Amino acid sequence: MGKQQMQDTAQTSQLWSSVRRWFRSDHVDESVADDRVDWVRCVPFILLHVACLAAFWVGVSPIAVAVAIFLYLVRMFAITAFFHRYFSHRTFRTSRFAQFLFAVLGSSAVQRGPLWWAAHHRHHHRESDLEPDLHSPRQRGFLWSHMLWFLTPEGFRTDRKLVKDLSRYPELVWLDRYDLVAPVALAALTYGAGVACSWLWPQLGTSGPQMFVWGFLISTVVLYHATYTINSLAHLWGHRRFPTKDDSRNNWFLAILTLGEGWHNNHHHYAHSARQGFYWWQIDPTYWGLVVMERLGIIRDLKPVPEHVKQEGLSQP
């Protein structure tokens, strides 16, 4: 093989490696330092934000905005109730079917798969705001904790040792490996729904491109940054009811945005409860939804907040 052929082969291999890491969450380019942003890997993430500008071309309609809000709320619930409170902390029990269904729904939020999400969150609780914590604003600042951390090779990897309980489910392992399947399916569904509406109910004033832009792109990007605030702002802005060893804070505004995740100091003080708004005045829509699901028999064994923990919080200034 000649020198030129070898160079062409190397370039082709490098290109294929770049493409593979867009579709395989377990494929990492070893040529990129663990703690540096892999700019090739994050091209789709950047394009997703830029593509939201297409709203100026496709226009807006009440139905498109309603779908965007609906998909924001449904996917936020899947992230907060299942990716966080179930997969990461096991604060209730459910059937294998419901487990997979909500894993798919959570994956459609384009925040990787359930094993990756749970592994990194468990690591965060173990090392919260210490040097090994990958998304601590104390260690590397706001922007890094908000989103840059997961754009690195170290952030891409899933530490299977931290999720051995979840790794025994082959369907979850597959979903985690091919974490783009659910988002692509949802994107196609929103586009198809827009096309169907334009044919069947033209008075709604929507279209395939419009429904895709609002229902998938804009809804997903807003969902991204609302979720990310818990890693960043919830360690910088708010009230500390409990004297935890980290910088976690309670923030009512973030709780509204994230369906109850803003009671972050509560959660870091006692992470074993399905409820993060410990008191009646701390709004926690995710918990309310879980209570309804328990009464319907979809989930069971919701772990409560112990009374002594509540009393401890009330005794704080």
Side-chain angles (χ1 to χ4, degrees):
M1 183 181 294
K3 183 177 181 180
Q4 184 60 45
Q5 288 180 308
M6 292 178 63
Q7 290 177 343
D8 292 343
T9 301
Q11 290 175 353
T12 301
S13 176
Q14 185 176 11
L15 177 62
W16 177 237
S17 178
S18 298
V19 171
R20 280 207 302 164
R21 64 184 191 270
W22 291 342
F23 296 97
R24 285 280 299 267
S25 64
D26 58 350
H27 180 75
V28 176
D29 187 352
E30 300 297 338
S31 67
V32 181
D34 276 359
D35 61 347
R36 295 290 183 268
V37 173
D38 182 349
W39 292 108
V40 173
R41 182 68 177 267
C42 68
V43 166
F45 177 76
I46 295 170
L47 291 179
L48 196 63
H49 286 71
V50 174
C52 291
L53 296 175
F56 291 106
W57 284 271
V58 300
V60 63
S61 66
I63 185 64
V65 173
V67 169
I69 294 172
F70 173 75
L71 288 177
Y72 171 90
L73 293 174
V74 168
R75 292 185 293 166
M76 179 64 83
F77 179 80
I79 291 292
T80 60
F82 281 82
F83 273 38
H84 186 199
R85 304 186 197 194
Y86 177 71
F87 287 122
S88 299
H89 293 292
R90 312 297 270 178
T91 61
F92 58 90
R93 299 172 66 192
T94 190
S95 67
R96 188 166 177 175
F97 174 77
Q99 172 183 273
F100 180 68
L101 178 65
F102 280 93
V104 171
L105 191 56
S107 295
S108 73
V110 206
Q111 296 185 26
R112 308 290 297 280
L115 273 64
W116 178 91
W117 211 103
H120 279 284
H121 190 73
R122 291 175 181 182
H123 179 269
H124 166 65
H125 272 266
R126 190 176 67 185
E127 307 288 353
S128 186
D129 285 323
L130 301 177
E131 194 277 331
D133 188 354
L134 294 183
H135 51 71
S136 168
R138 181 199 294 180
Q139 300 298 329
R140 301 195 66 170
F142 169 80
L143 190 59
W144 186 271
S145 68
H146 190 71
M147 62 182 186
L148 293 182
W149 71 273
F150 60 76
L151 300 174
T152 67
E154 187 175 16
F156 292 150
R157 295 189 181 93
T158 300
D159 188 348
R160 291 289 181 85
K161 296 191 298 295
L162 297 177
V163 285
K164 290 181 180 179
D165 55 325
L166 305 178
S167 298
R168 62 193 180 95
Y169 297 103
E171 65 273 22
L172 295 183
V173 173
W174 185 90
L175 187 62
D176 197 75
R177 178 173 295 167
Y178 300 102
D179 55 35
L180 280 180
V181 172
V184 169
L186 180 61
L189 184 62
T190 57
Y191 186 90
V195 171
C197 285
S198 68
W199 289 347
L200 301 173
W201 303 285
Q203 67 273 21
L204 293 176
T206 191
S207 65
Q210 184 189 85
M211 194 69 82
F212 167 70
V213 169
W214 285 92
F216 182 72
L217 295 178
I218 293 176
S219 178
T220 296
V221 169
V222 175
L223 177 60
Y224 271 168
H225 294 284
T227 308
Y228 301 164
T229 61
I230 304 304
N231 290 339
S232 55
L233 291 178
H235 282 253
L236 295 170
W237 174 35
H239 174 66
R240 287 177 50 77
R241 178 174 294 275
F242 297 98
T244 57
K245 295 181 180 180
D246 53 36
D247 298 328
S248 59
R249 299 169 186 275
N250 288 336
N251 188 299
W252 65 267
F253 179 69
L254 299 184
I256 293 174
L257 287 181
T258 59
L259 305 184
E261 298 291 291
W263 309 114
H264 201 50
N265 179 247
N266 289 358
H267 175 60
H268 270 265
H269 179 69
Y270 188 81
H272 307 294
S273 168
R275 184 174 184 174
Q276 295 192 15
F278 287 179
Y279 309 99
W280 66 265
W281 63 87
Q282 294 179 332
I283 61 171
D284 191 351
T286 292
Y287 178 69
W288 304 338
L290 289 173
V291 170
V292 171
M293 292 179 71
E294 184 180 43
R295 291 178 180 175
L296 292 174
I298 301 171
I299 66 172
R300 61 190 184 279
D301 300 337
L302 278 174
K303 293 182 180 179
V305 183
E307 193 60 35
H308 72 87
V309 172
K310 292 183 182 180
Q311 293 302 319
E312 181 183 351
L314 291 174
S315 66
Q316 301 296 328

